[in-house]
Amino acid sequence: MQISPEARRSRSRHRPRSPWEAAALRRRLVGRGEDGGAGAAGCGRVRAAAAAHGPTGACPLEGGDLWRVGTMDLAYVCEWEKWPKSTHCPSVPLACAWSCRNLIAFTTDLRNDDQDLTRLIHILDTEHPWDVHSINSEHSEAITCLEWDQSGSRLLSADANGQIKCWSMADHLANSWESPVGSLVEGDPIVALSWLHNGVKLALHVEKSGASSFGEKFSRVKFSPSLTLFGGKPMEGWIAVTVSGLVTVSLLKPSGQVLTSTESLCRLRGRVALADIAFTGGGNIVVATADGSSASPVQFYKVCVGVVSEKCRIDTEILPSLFMRCTADPSRKDRFPAITHLKFLARDMSEQVLLCASSQTSSSVECWSLRKEGLPVNNVFQQISPVVGDKQPMILKWRILSATNDLDRVSAVALPKLPISLTNTDLKVASDTQFYPGLGLALAFHDGSVHIVHRLSLQTMAVFYGSAAPRSADEPAIKRPRTTGPAVHFKAMQLSWTSLALVGIDSHGKLSMLRISPSMGHPLDLSLALRHLLFLLEYCMVTGYDWWDILLHVQPAMVQSLVDRLHEEYTRQTAALQQVLSTRILAMKASLCKLSPCTVTRVCDYHAKLFLTAVSSTLKSLLRPHILNTPDKSPGDRLAEICAKVTDVDIDKVMINLKTEEFVLDMNTLQALQQLLQWVGDFVLYLLASLPNQGAPLRPGHSFLRDGAALGLLRELMVVIRIWGLLKPSCLPVYTATSDTQDSMSLLFRLLTKLWICCRDEGPASEPDEALVDECCLLPSQLLIPSLDWLPVSDGLVSRLQPKQPLRLRFGKAPALPGSAAALQLDGLARAPGQPKIDHLRRLHLGAHPTEECKACTRCGCLTMLRSPNKTTAVRQWEQRWIKNCLCGGLWRRAPLSCP
């Protein structure tokens, strides 16, 4: 029956709309005046055709000409220098991987006369993309797969010759890598690669984002590791699928030995052009394969891994397969001859798979779900077999959730990593809470555009139009000139771990970083937007993931509110959890405060508090009980208890209450700690001298003057230093006093105690009395006030990025970044690049051009020597705390030697 256009339009107007369509219609009506051209041009590009859905799937949305321009913008572009006679190889596939520490590994398709650059693995930190580290991987063929582990510190690479290498950081440096182990299936190209699952899985409960406990917002899901050692500890290793239909598993034993085993996926081996790997909650592995033809079925296999008699054993089992819907339609049977993309929707979700079939010019994307369905049994057999009873036999069957009509040819797919459960309440939760990160996957097209589509319904949520170069902010998108020839498009793409950023490697070798707005173009209240950002920051705090991609969306006006609400949520947790997260929340607050000129000086306070906490715990750990039997409390706990109880301003009277035998240390150890003790003494002197100027909140150290806990820590350390000074006077802090008879330690302890009494936790905070302020005013005339090195020099770009003003960067060339108001104030609190450098962890002066190799933090810029100049046990204990990460939790990178 033919339906007239008028009837079709009437039916479309009166049918019920889904939340996605209603939001899109509101945006279309609001923005029709200025975006009408874009809407008309894009109308009909993506049409999501929903298919039959079962009881567990999300309700499919009806198709239609929907156009939703979401908020996606370019943050920066980084490209290679123009090499002479360099060429691109379109046939070479690109690989890209994004770790939870915001390290990106990728390959390029560049070749020139001198070398084949397709064998290189490039690794960069998103905060310093120009500082790329290129590894000569020594792969004999093109690299086909890259995969980070869950900790973000190890990388797997595989090539078209069957070689797999495991890369780890040398000396824990993000720009120094080595490959001690690997495996080989010679001559058999690797098409899929994954680390074995370690059994750790979190679930985000978006609907409980207002709950007080982190345990309610983020719960641990029962999930079995792929393989366990004695005691249930997960065994490390990797699994790969080859083009000839083999599955190979390599296990890393604690001794460093690698156990490798290879098995065929099924008895009848066939060509595997595409494959993907997922994991089940019971510890099994599911492998999906396709031979590249859409006329052939997509096969699924269950893989079980075990260790028998010190050998790896692999068992495989065939699971139900499927044919793509586009090939079942007779009218479209030959339209999409090749399957170009095959992906499970999540690494630990083997029940849902995304398929893309393509022709030379167009593509079709389908989303499928594996479900248990009842198998109808004839009544005759039910009577014969009474054991079955009322239980109906169940079978596993693939059902299509949604499909798209004709799209432009898809060039790359990126899937979100946020662990949001895709259940039948998924759309309802997203609609009620308006929390959109993690709900969409990214599709890149050959015309240069990128679409964010819903993971289940495949409805378009946001669109980005790429161009050969970042355009100026005032140039309208509609007037962008059309480029001649094939458009630049992404050949590889990855979403960040919070789904707020997208990286793409295009066909010209450039790396593009895109921001993806948490609102996906929907109008959100500021309070709701802050709540979503806060929820993701808490997720990073609990998991230990890096939060750089969240900072891309924090505006200066949001900083104060985010810091306050983050602290409020932190104080609602249990005391044990607060202790675990204490350093991480300080680092998170410091990174947030860098983004606003009003809160820049608080960055100094947070860094100083991180350093003070570390110094306090290290010095207290050196104390040993005098009696061999274990006391109820450690010497450090007794020291804190006595200092809190005895409020005497005389340091010697406080010492009388302590067992000085517990403070006896080796003389060499005390001398080696002098630089740390000097910092404590200088910091106390600076704080007391700044007390008369406490009305200026833009002065570093302001927050310490009202922090009773921090002042209490300083007071305890002053007592410890005083006792150690009796053993070895040369370890005491050195002060420049105007009088030879001045007891500087006693003077500072007396003033510090008076200030601590004003704001300790037992009573309400009171203003320091005038006598204390007057005494602090006299300090500069009694002692020389030191100048403190508040901040390291940080050359990162997150505080310098401007909305809708993408930066153009070059690999290997440090840029002259534009200075924002916050960045300029930060630079004023740090040492200028030409001034002498200081080791921020050892508090040693290195000179303007250090001769020793140094390493710098990728986040805060903290600088320290790579090799220890001191061999004493206490100093090594201090340095071991920072062997893997900086004070702020950032990764280390080798700093280049500066030339005079």
Side-chain angles (χ1 to χ4, degrees):
M1 183 181 68
Q2 296 293 330
I3 301 176
S4 66
E6 292 80 7
R8 190 181 292 112
R9 283 193 295 269
S10 175
R11 181 179 298 182
S12 177
R13 280 195 303 269
H14 292 93
R15 66 176 171 82
R17 288 188 171 86
S18 70
W20 295 108
E21 294 177 303
L25 182 61
R26 285 196 301 271
R27 290 197 301 279
R28 193 190 308 174
L29 293 175
V30 170
R32 182 172 290 174
E34 59 185 53
D35 292 334
C43 189
R45 179 182 300 276
V46 177
R47 298 178 175 92
H53 63 292
T56 61
C59 181
L61 304 178
E62 295 186 27
D65 294 345
L66 301 179
W67 181 247
R68 308 177 188 87
V69 180
T71 307
M72 293 176 66
D73 67 310
L74 193 60
Y76 60 78
V77 171
C78 210
E79 54 190 336
W80 300 98
E81 292 284 349
K82 301 294 182 183
W83 288 306
K85 298 182 181 180
S86 63
T87 58
H88 295 278
C89 306
S91 61
V92 174
L94 296 188
C96 180
W98 193 327
S99 82
C100 62
R101 306 300 300 274
N102 281 322
L103 292 177
I104 295 175
F106 64 99
T107 60
T108 62
D109 56 2
L110 292 172
R111 281 188 179 142
N112 60 19
D113 295 342
D114 298 332
Q115 59 178 331
D116 186 355
L117 303 176
T118 59
R119 307 290 190 271
L120 298 179
I121 301 174
H122 310 286
I123 299 179
L124 58 83
D125 171 52
T126 52
E127 177 76 338
H128 307 86
W130 59 87
D131 188 17
V132 65
H133 179 67
S134 299
I135 306 172
N136 185 6
S137 65
E138 298 181 357
H139 279 291
S140 58
E141 294 291 338
I143 297 169
T144 57
C145 302
L146 293 174
E147 189 77 20
W148 289 100
D149 71 343
Q150 283 293 98
S151 68
S153 58
R154 288 183 301 176
L155 177 71
L156 288 177
S157 64
D159 64 14
N161 192 38
Q163 187 177 27
I164 302 173
K165 291 192 171 189
C166 176
W167 301 90
S168 57
M169 296 184 192
D171 296 326
H172 306 285
L173 299 173
N175 55 358
S176 181
W177 295 82
E178 59 186 2
S179 176
V181 292
S183 62
L184 176 66
V185 186
E186 191 169 359
D188 210 349
I190 305 295
V191 294
L193 179 67
S194 176
W195 290 90
L196 296 180
H197 205 286
N198 59 2
V200 177
K201 182 182 178 183
L202 280 183
L204 265 72
H205 302 288
V206 181
E207 68 279 6
K208 297 181 181 178
S209 60
S212 59
S213 170
F214 287 166
E216 296 180 41
K217 301 177 186 180
F218 319 105
S219 63
R220 179 81 178 264
V221 179
K222 187 177 180 182
F223 207 90
S224 299
S226 304
L227 191 62
T228 56
L229 294 165
F230 179 76
K233 183 181 178 182
M235 193 168 190
E236 295 182 323
W238 58 82
I239 178 172
V241 181
T242 70
V243 77
S244 67
L246 292 177
V247 58
T248 175
V249 175
S250 297
L251 305 177
L252 299 175
K253 296 185 69 176
S255 60
Q257 183 185 0
V258 179
L259 297 179
T260 301
S261 180
T262 304
E263 187 64 54
S264 176
L265 282 170
C266 61
R267 290 183 180 179
L268 298 176
R269 285 170 58 187
R271 178 176 181 268
V272 176
L274 300 168
D276 199 19
I277 302 167
F279 301 89
T280 67
N284 296 322
I285 305 166
V286 177
V287 175
T289 65
D291 64 3
S293 171
S294 60
S296 302
V298 179
Q299 303 278 3
F300 295 86
Y301 305 91
K302 182 173 77 172
V303 179
C304 302
V305 183
V307 176
V308 179
S309 302
E310 293 295 316
K311 292 185 178 180
C312 180
R313 177 179 173 179
I314 303 173
D315 296 317
T316 61
E317 177 185 336
I318 299 178
L319 296 177
S321 57
L322 64 89
F323 282 92
M324 288 193 67
R325 172 65 61 89
C326 63
T327 61
D329 186 354
S331 62
R332 307 170 67 198
K333 183 177 179 182
D334 301 322
R335 186 157 188 179
F336 305 105
I339 297 179
T340 54
H341 296 89
L342 165 61
K343 297 281 186 183
F344 285 106
L345 286 186
R347 178 173 174 265
D348 44 20
M349 191 178 299
S350 58
E351 300 85 14
Q352 288 166 337
V353 68
L354 185 82
L355 299 169
C356 176
S358 303
S359 65
Q360 291 295 328
T361 58
S362 58
S363 296
S364 177
V365 181
E366 298 177 1
C367 182
W368 290 75
S369 178
L370 184 66
R371 296 168 182 166
K372 283 185 178 179
E373 294 187 358
L375 183 66
V377 180
N378 192 283
N379 292 334
V380 175
F381 296 102
Q382 289 183 355
Q383 293 173 2
I384 294 175
S385 177
V387 179
V388 176
D390 297 331
K391 294 183 178 179
Q392 188 180 22
M394 306 295 289
I395 60 169
L396 291 173
K397 195 168 184 179
W398 286 98
R399 290 288 186 184
I400 189 167
L401 288 178
S402 55
T404 64
N405 289 340
D406 298 356
L407 309 171
D408 287 327
R409 182 175 169 86
V410 174
S411 61
V413 177
L415 295 170
K417 303 179 183 71
L418 266 183
I420 297 178
S421 61
L422 297 179
T423 63
N424 54 354
T425 60
D426 178 27
L427 280 176
K428 185 177 185 304
V429 169
S431 176
D432 294 345
T433 62
Q434 297 184 328
F435 184 85
Y436 304 111
L439 290 185
L441 58 91
L443 299 176
F445 296 95
H446 273 259
D447 66 353
S449 64
V450 178
H451 291 220
I452 304 293
V453 300
H454 192 272
R455 291 164 77 172
L456 295 184
S457 67
L458 300 181
Q459 293 278 328
T460 305
M461 300 167 66
V463 180
F464 170 79
Y465 288 106
S467 60
R471 56 186 176 86
S472 60
D474 54 352
E475 179 187 349
I478 305 168
K479 297 182 179 179
R480 184 174 61 250
R482 295 284 181 182
T483 56
T484 58
V488 178
H489 60 272
F490 290 153
K491 292 179 67 176
M493 235 178 9
Q494 281 284 314
L495 282 165
S496 71
W497 284 66
T498 61
S499 299
L500 294 185
L502 173 75
V503 69
I505 314 298
D506 66 24
S507 51
H508 284 185
K510 293 196 299 292
L511 181 142
S512 301
M513 179 65 66
L514 303 179
R515 297 186 190 93
I516 303 177
S517 170
S519 67
M520 290 291 180
H522 294 73
L524 286 185
D525 294 333
L526 181 60
S527 60
L528 193 57
L530 286 173
R531 181 176 168 184
H532 292 341
L533 291 176
L534 179 69
F535 184 67
L536 292 173
L537 284 170
E538 292 169 348
Y539 170 67
C540 291
M541 192 192 307
V542 170
T543 56
Y545 296 162
D546 188 71
W547 55 91
W548 177 89
D549 44 335
I550 304 176
L551 300 181
L552 290 175
H553 302 274
V554 177
Q555 302 298 324
M558 300 179 181
V559 170
Q560 185 63 53
S561 179
L562 269 178
V563 170
D564 293 343
R565 291 176 66 175
L566 195 64
H567 181 76
E568 180 184 343
E569 293 295 327
Y570 170 77
T571 54
R572 294 164 72 180
Q573 309 310 310
T574 60
L577 186 57
Q578 285 188 35
Q579 188 172 1
V580 171
L581 303 177
S582 58
T583 56
R584 202 169 292 160
I585 189 173
L586 285 173
M588 196 171 278
K589 289 178 181 178
S591 61
L592 286 169
C593 289
K594 282 184 181 180
L595 305 177
S596 171
C598 301
T599 54
V600 162
T601 49
R602 292 169 63 180
V603 180
C604 308
D605 294 2
Y606 291 131
H607 275 281
K609 193 165 185 180
L610 279 170
F611 195 76
L612 172 62
T613 307
V615 170
S616 173
S617 59
T618 300
L619 296 187
K620 287 181 180 179
S621 68
L622 297 175
L623 308 181
R624 294 290 181 265
H626 181 60
I627 305 174
L628 291 180
N629 62 338
T630 306
D632 294 336
K633 294 182 179 179
S634 66
D637 293 337
R638 274 202 302 275
L639 170 68
E641 182 181 348
I642 291 173
C643 286
K645 188 184 300 181
V646 180
T647 59
D648 203 297
V649 296
D650 189 345
I651 191 171
D652 295 323
K653 290 184 179 178
V654 177
M655 286 168 48
I656 294 174
N657 296 277
L658 295 169
K659 298 178 180 178
T660 52
E661 302 90 352
E662 298 176 341
F663 293 80
V664 176
L665 289 181
D666 179 63
M667 297 300 170
N668 293 330
T669 300
L670 291 177
Q671 189 61 47
L673 295 172
Q674 200 276 332
Q675 297 295 335
L676 297 181
L677 306 184
Q678 182 71 47
W679 179 86
V680 174
D682 288 347
F683 190 63
V684 170
L685 176 55
Y686 174 87
L687 287 182
L688 292 173
S690 65
L691 180 62
N693 299 320
Q694 59 177 320
L698 294 179
R699 187 182 179 92
H702 172 77
S703 63
F704 277 91
L705 301 177
R706 288 289 179 271
D707 189 345
L711 294 176
L713 274 182
L714 288 170
R715 191 165 172 267
E716 295 166 18
L717 293 180
M718 292 290 280
V719 174
V720 173
I721 294 171
R722 180 72 164 191
I723 296 175
W724 285 346
L726 298 176
L727 299 174
K728 189 172 182 63
S730 61
C731 77
L732 286 171
V734 177
Y735 297 105
T736 305
T738 55
S739 172
D740 295 337
T741 59
Q742 174 73 54
D743 187 352
S744 303
M745 289 286 292
S746 297
L747 172 64
L748 295 178
F749 185 83
R750 179 166 56 83
L751 298 178
L752 181 64
T753 301
K754 289 182 179 180
L755 180 60
W756 169 71
I757 291 173
C758 295
C759 53
R760 61 179 178 166
D761 297 332
E762 278 76 5
S766 58
E767 291 294 323
D769 58 7
E770 302 234 349
L772 174 59
V773 175
D774 290 342
E775 285 189 87
C776 291
C777 285
L778 294 176
L779 272 179
S781 62
Q782 297 170 310
L783 298 170
L784 180 65
I785 310 300
S787 59
L788 295 181
D789 286 283
W790 283 105
L791 282 180
V793 178
S794 178
D795 56 352
L797 53 72
V798 71
S799 60
R800 292 170 165 84
L801 287 174
Q802 301 295 328
K804 298 185 179 179
Q805 294 180 17
L807 297 176
R808 178 185 287 276
L809 308 169
R810 287 196 178 276
F811 289 120
K813 184 179 179 181
L817 294 173
S820 62
L824 291 174
Q825 278 194 260
L826 274 172
D827 295 341
L829 295 168
R831 289 198 171 204
Q835 289 183 337
K837 295 181 174 62
I838 187 172
D839 187 321
H840 291 94
L841 295 184
R842 300 182 179 90
R843 312 313 297 183
L844 297 173
H845 291 273
L846 303 175
H849 306 287
T851 55
E852 294 289 330
E853 272 196 308
C854 296
K855 57 183 180 181
C857 175
T858 56
R859 289 294 170 264
C860 68
C862 180
L863 190 73
T864 186
M865 282 185 288
L866 193 57
R867 310 295 173 201
S868 174
N870 201 310
K871 303 301 181 184
T872 58
T873 306
V875 174
R876 286 205 163 192
Q877 179 183 340
W878 168 255
E879 292 168 350
Q880 282 297 317
R881 295 174 65 102
W882 323 117
I883 191 71
K884 292 184 179 181
N885 301 299
C886 174
L887 274 166
C888 67
L891 292 172
W892 295 111
R893 57 175 179 149
R894 190 187 302 271
L897 288 172
S898 56
C899 301

